[in-house]
Amino acid sequence: MLDSVLVANRGEIARRIIRTAQHMGIRAVAVYSDADADLPYVREADQAVRIGPAQPAKSYLDAAAIIEAAAQTNAKALHPGYGFLAENAGFARQVAAAGLTWVGPDPAAIEQMGDKIRARNLMEKAGVPVSPGSREPVTDIKAALAEGERIGYPVMVKAAAGGGGIGMGVAAGPAELQSAFDTARSRAERFFGSPEILLERYVQRARHVEVQILGLADGQVLALGERDCSVQRRHQKVAEETPSPGVDDALREQMLAAAVRAGGAVSYKGAGTVECLVDTEAGSFVFLEMNTRLQVEHPVTELVTGIDLVEQQFLIAAGQPPSFDPATANKPTGHALELRIYAEDPQRFLPGPGTITQWQEPAGDGIRVDAGYQAGNTVTPFYDPLLAKLCVYGADRGQTLARARNAVAAFTVTGPKTNLAFHAELLENPEFVSGDYDTSLISRMRPS
């Protein structure tokens, strides 16, 4: 088994990984920037190393500094968390070359799934449904217009090498495509270092549903149920739940089987997510992308399955079998919801850094809080403003929503603005409460 791990991340996900590592008897090493020196995860780790100033490029994205920190502390493995270098195949190779165990999928799988066009073509060959879209990178507006005509409007325009909704845009026709293409290409080059663009058919009323997969050390790929991630602002997730209220048993079975095929196509090892778009009118789904890492919303799957996904990541990286019976893995019970608590204006969703003067987390049956901050910490403008994940479990969706309302009301954060007021509103919204919602829900709640 692994005896030590360096967690190459920060905030709530670093704290969460450290907790499981220590529970397993694995020595946990944290890295931190100047801006994060006082955060809880730094204190809770067995050892912590400063890796640079606040700017991500000089700290959490500095591969050399991170690997040097592992050498200094004699860490034997590296867990990347999510974001930063988690889906960087080159970094994964550097980690292995330094003699460290990479707690994640093989770099080849990261590479194959990192390019959306390549991934889409590979999934199509594996028998996974894909939407009409680009089979080659779209490099200029002339080619984009031709693709738009071939695919059929409206089309979604997005970075081939990107993620997180950055640069995504919808074009209803040729007149809108020029602007959407220019924006996507500019942001793709700035954020992902590649100007390559992908066009896909845009579904007007869709749900964003993903399947959690786990590639075991023996080569078996499991599907651990689905998560509905349709509550989004600017194509970025705000709340997630499982099971999806918009997926029936027949469609669920198809999606889980397709996700297993997707993982098998790249010989996937570790925790990963197959993201899909569900056409609510047609009752069908298509592949969107595969995230070759742990997802922000993984706790809801843990709550309904009882499986610690980080524990399984460590076991798989060590070449060991899972701590549960694979034959019973896909039998989740109950209902779980995750609400992302951000330091942001609850009306306009703009980040709002500041010092936390009061922090009171809710507690009780079915309540789990994965927090990266506490009272006295300062939320800086250098990183994503995620403060915590409020996760709620119940015997059914009704009980879960009731517990979530009470938990949101009991969650107190003063100092920076937070989106707790938005979540209180969401939990009373008739569309959300009914379960009959889609990815445009927030745009109806907050019409521009």
Side-chain angles (χ1 to χ4, degrees):
M1 187 54 201
L2 304 175
D3 68 1
S4 54
V5 63
L6 181 139
V7 182
N9 218 292
R10 63 176 298 279
E12 66 83 17
I13 190 58
R15 196 179 188 190
R16 186 262 174 279
I17 295 166
I18 289 166
R19 184 174 66 245
T20 287
Q22 292 173 336
H23 178 74
M24 296 175 71
I26 301 171
R27 180 170 60 91
V29 178
V31 292
Y32 63 92
S33 71
D34 290 340
D36 289 340
D38 294 328
L39 292 191
Y41 82 95
V42 177
R43 182 181 63 256
E44 293 169 359
D46 296 295
Q47 194 170 353
V49 180
R50 177 191 177 275
I51 52 170
Q55 294 83 353
K58 297 179 180 179
S59 52
Y60 301 107
L61 292 172
D62 187 338
I66 291 170
I67 292 174
E68 175 59 26
Q72 288 176 11
T73 58
N74 200 31
K76 301 302 183 185
L78 187 145
H79 194 307
Y82 58 71
F84 294 128
L85 295 168
E87 292 180 284
N88 186 312
F91 178 61
R93 291 192 176 99
Q94 285 180 265
V95 169
L100 300 166
T101 297
W102 171 254
V103 185
D106 291 339
I110 298 174
E111 216 158 43
Q112 286 175 299
M113 293 294 98
D115 183 303
K116 287 185 172 61
I117 296 175
R118 184 180 179 185
R120 184 184 177 284
N121 294 341
L122 182 61
M123 291 300 100
E124 190 171 21
K125 288 180 182 178
V128 178
V130 300
S131 65
S134 308
R135 290 186 169 83
E136 299 292 336
V138 180
T139 57
D140 56 47
I141 187 59
K142 182 178 179 181
L145 289 167
E147 280 290 89
E149 290 301 318
R150 182 184 70 81
I151 295 168
Y153 291 97
V155 294
M156 173 69 79
V157 185
K158 56 187 179 182
I166 296 173
M168 280 188 183
V170 177
E176 294 89 355
L177 185 54
Q178 173 80 63
S179 175
F181 180 81
D182 289 345
T183 297
R185 183 169 58 178
S186 172
R187 293 184 178 175
E189 194 155 27
R190 179 154 55 107
F191 286 97
F192 309 116
S194 170
E196 294 185 346
I197 297 301
L198 162 68
L199 268 66
E200 287 181 333
R201 173 80 56 78
Y202 176 69
V203 179
Q204 298 278 16
R205 195 170 188 275
R207 297 184 84 116
H208 186 150
V209 181
E210 63 189 24
V211 177
Q212 175 70 59
I213 64 169
L214 201 61
L216 304 183
D218 65 4
Q220 184 180 3
V221 178
L222 307 177
L224 303 182
E226 88 287 356
R227 298 184 288 254
D228 199 311
C229 308
S230 302
V231 182
Q232 303 179 5
R233 43 103 166 101
R234 295 189 292 275
H235 306 294
Q236 294 180 321
K237 302 166 187 174
V238 179
E240 303 92 359
E241 63 178 312
T242 186
S244 168
V247 173
D248 61 26
D249 290 342
L251 185 59
R252 178 174 295 109
E253 186 175 339
Q254 294 173 35
M255 294 181 74
L256 299 187
V260 169
R261 290 198 300 275
V266 293
S267 302
Y268 198 82
K269 296 286 180 67
T273 303
V274 178
E275 303 209 16
C276 303
L277 200 67
V278 174
D279 187 326
T280 59
E281 294 181 358
S284 59
F285 74 96
V286 292
F287 171 83
L288 271 180
E289 63 183 355
M290 183 173 175
N291 294 127
T292 52
R293 54 169 169 80
L294 193 67
Q295 289 280 85
V296 177
E297 57 272 18
H298 75 274
V300 294
T301 296
E302 294 184 327
L303 287 171
V304 297
T305 62
I307 295 170
D308 184 325
L309 291 174
V310 174
E311 178 186 14
Q312 308 317 311
Q313 287 185 296
F314 283 131
L315 291 171
I316 293 165
Q320 296 191 9
S323 61
F324 60 91
D325 182 358
T328 61
N330 191 28
K331 295 181 180 178
T333 58
H335 197 97
L337 170 69
E338 175 181 289
L339 304 174
R340 300 190 189 190
I341 312 303
Y342 287 105
E344 66 180 13
D345 184 307
Q347 293 295 322
R348 298 179 298 161
F349 305 118
L350 296 176
T355 298
I356 300 169
T357 55
Q358 186 179 7
W359 180 281
Q360 182 64 49
E361 297 176 7
D365 291 342
I367 304 300
R368 166 178 166 177
V369 179
D370 286 15
Y373 294 82
Q374 60 188 16
N377 293 151
T378 298
V379 183
T380 69
F382 300 104
Y383 316 112
D384 184 276
L386 180 66
L387 298 175
K389 300 181 307 196
L390 172 56
C391 308
V392 185
Y393 174 81
D396 53 35
R397 192 168 188 264
Q399 185 181 58
T400 299
L401 293 183
R403 286 178 170 176
R405 292 184 188 102
N406 291 335
V408 167
F411 206 144
T412 302
V413 181
T414 58
K417 289 184 178 180
T418 76
N419 64 339
L420 281 164
F422 167 79
H423 286 305
E425 181 183 348
L426 174 71
L427 293 166
E428 300 292 349
N429 179 272
E431 281 186 70
F432 183 75
V433 171
S434 73
D436 184 19
Y437 62 93
D438 56 50
T439 55
S440 58
L441 173 63
I442 290 183
S443 65
R444 290 190 291 276
M445 293 175 66
R446 298 282 189 276
S448 55

